[in-house]
Structures are given as C-alpha cells and as structure tokens.
Amino acid sequence: MSTQLPTLVAGLVDDAAVFPPGSASLPDAVQAHRRHRVAWYADLVGPLLLPASAITAGELSGLVDPEEGFAIGLIGDTGLDRLPFALSFLPPLGVTARQVEVPVARRGEDPQPGLTELVKLAERLDGVPVYAEIPLTFGLMGALDALADSRARGVPVAAKFRTGGLAAELFPTPAELAAVVCACRDRGLPFKLTAGLHHAVRHVDPETGFTHHGFGNVLAATLAAADGATIGAVAELLTVRDERPLVQAVDGRPDAARPLWVGFGSCSIVEPLTDLIRLGLVDGGFEA
C-alpha cells in the first residue's frame, strides 16, 4: 500500500527501466514495476515507459493480465507514422497508454514538420497526453509557440527535453536549461525531462566526466520560475552543488502542486527515491 507522499513529488519519476543505462529485460521491468506500484512510495512513480518497437514486436504479450489495468508510457522510437500501429496492440492486452512521448526532430533539424504531424495524431488520441521531444537547437522557440497554440485549442500536447546522454553536447548548460524552463513558464506549457537525472544534486559522473543536472536543482529552479524568477536566477539554482539551498527552496511547499514540470524518466526508481529521503523531502521511515 502507498502512504501519502508530498504532493510536490507525486508522479515525479517515470519508470524507464528498459532504457540505458539500466537496460532491464522487459519481463524483469514489468515485474519490478508491479512492485513499485504497491510499495509505500508508489505515489512517486509514473508509468512504465516502453518503446513502440517492443510493443509492435509482441514483447509485452503474455506478461500482463488483461484484468490488472496495466498502464504504460509509449515512447515513439519507430517514427510518427508507426505510432497508431503500436497503439493498436495495447487494447487487446488490456494495457492503457497513459502518455505518448515522441521525438519530432534530430538535433539541427527543423522541428516544425514533425510537430505538425504529432499534433494531428494527438487530436485523434481521445485525450491521451502527448509529449513532443524537441532538441535544444534550431527552431526551439518556434516549436514551443506551436505547442502552446495547440494547447490553447484543447489539444493535450506538451514538451519534452533531453538533459543528458552519451555525448557531452546532449547535456544543456544551466543557462540553456533555464531559458527553456522560463520559456515554458511564459507560455504556460508543461514539460518533461529525460536522461541524466538520477540524482538530486548537480554532480560530475566519475566514469564519463560529464556534469549531470540534479533533479532537486530542476525542482527548485522550476518553483522559482513559476514564482516569476528571471532566467539568471533560475540558472543559478541549476548550478548549485550544495543541497542546502535546494532544500530551502522547497521548504514549506510539500503539499503544493508541482508547477510546469511533469516529471522525468529514470532507469532506477530507488536512486532518486534514496536522494529524496536523504534530503528530507520524503519520509524515509520505510524501507525501499
């Protein structure tokens, strides 16, 4: 059974166990996700994220009971045109797509054509939230404008950004990420993040030498942005490597709804949970 976690972190971490660097097998990921969903920290955990390619290959068949109400987040790795095909596999399995996330362009490409097609798809999905993964390069602000316009028309679309990966250029600087957070704030646009956010505080990975953003930094920065902070002030919170100012930034707000930032995918649930306990943002009186 789940105990009541602070509203501020509810649904913060989507279960990306099958994606690198965790790369769990699908059977293992499904079993582990069931355990997360009935654990004391269940309110922290979003849906299990699965690639469309695994769904269309039939890999989920036989792993779930149609009566259990299993929910996933579908990651569109097979292209926009193949998404309806992937979604068609779910109803016979008794599986629900709680969200759909799709890259609309590669770095340096114009995101508008892909975004236009994704919005058309979102209009046909009966209210399922759709997240457009937009590279933090050419055409970014125009894409955010287009998403905001679509949301104003009632289309359930929002943004997704990559905050890490296997190359240094995939890690946005604090200034770049702050500009994106504030741009979403100015447009009333929710966003998700992915990659590199396993730990709460900004740090250097000793194996790669890459500097990772901390999800605690992002939480503090997003709260500040929602309160009207400048890009510079938001960027300053993203650079912090001391947990104390991050804890102070969220102090007194545990029962407030998290503004703007929908959450992030992590191949580990235990790592971010452990950091939340260590920072005192989640009651650690239970064992994970």
Side-chain angles (χ1 to χ4, degrees), residues 153 206 217 231 263 282:
R153 294 189 288 105
N217 296 76
I231 293 176
V282 167

Side-chain angles (χ1 to χ4, degrees), residues 40-222:
W40 65 266
Y41 53 86
D43 290 341
L44 175 70
V45 184
L48 178 65
L49 303 181
L50 296 179
S53 57
I55 302 300
T56 55
E59 294 178 25
L60 195 57
S61 180
L63 296 181
V64 297
D65 183 339
E67 302 301 318
E68 70 177 299
F70 203 84
I72 69 165
L74 185 68
I75 306 298
D77 66 333
T78 55
L80 281 167
D81 58 336
R82 300 276 290 174
L83 268 178
F85 181 58
L87 288 164
S88 72
F89 278 70
L90 301 181
L93 300 174
V95 175
T96 301
R98 188 180 299 175
Q99 62 204 39
V100 175
E101 307 176 20
V102 192
V104 295
R106 296 184 177 90
R107 286 176 62 84
E109 291 181 345
D110 183 358
Q112 290 289 357
L115 187 56
T116 298
E117 292 304 309
L118 184 60
V119 169
K120 291 178 182 177
L121 174 66
E123 292 173 335
R124 307 196 302 269
L125 292 185
D126 296 325
V128 177
V130 174
Y131 296 91
E133 183 179 323
I134 306 169
L136 302 185
T137 55
F138 173 75
L140 171 61
M141 294 304 169
L144 297 185
D145 287 338
L147 281 176
D149 289 344
S150 296
R151 284 184 67 82
R153 294 189 288 105
V155 184
V157 289
K160 177 183 174 182
F161 308 110
R162 192 159 291 274
T163 50
L166 300 178
E169 62 267 22
L170 298 178
F171 291 78
T173 67
E176 289 170 336
L177 186 54
V180 168
V181 170
C182 290
C184 288
R185 181 265 320 274
D186 294 342
R187 293 163 174 79
L189 187 62
F191 65 90
K192 291 176 64 71
L193 300 176
T194 189
L197 290 172
H198 295 181
H199 293 291
V201 182
R202 185 171 176 82
H203 64 282
V204 175
D205 186 315
E207 294 186 5
T208 65
F210 298 152
T211 301
H212 287 242
H213 291 284
F215 68 80
N217 296 76
V218 176
L219 181 58
T222 303

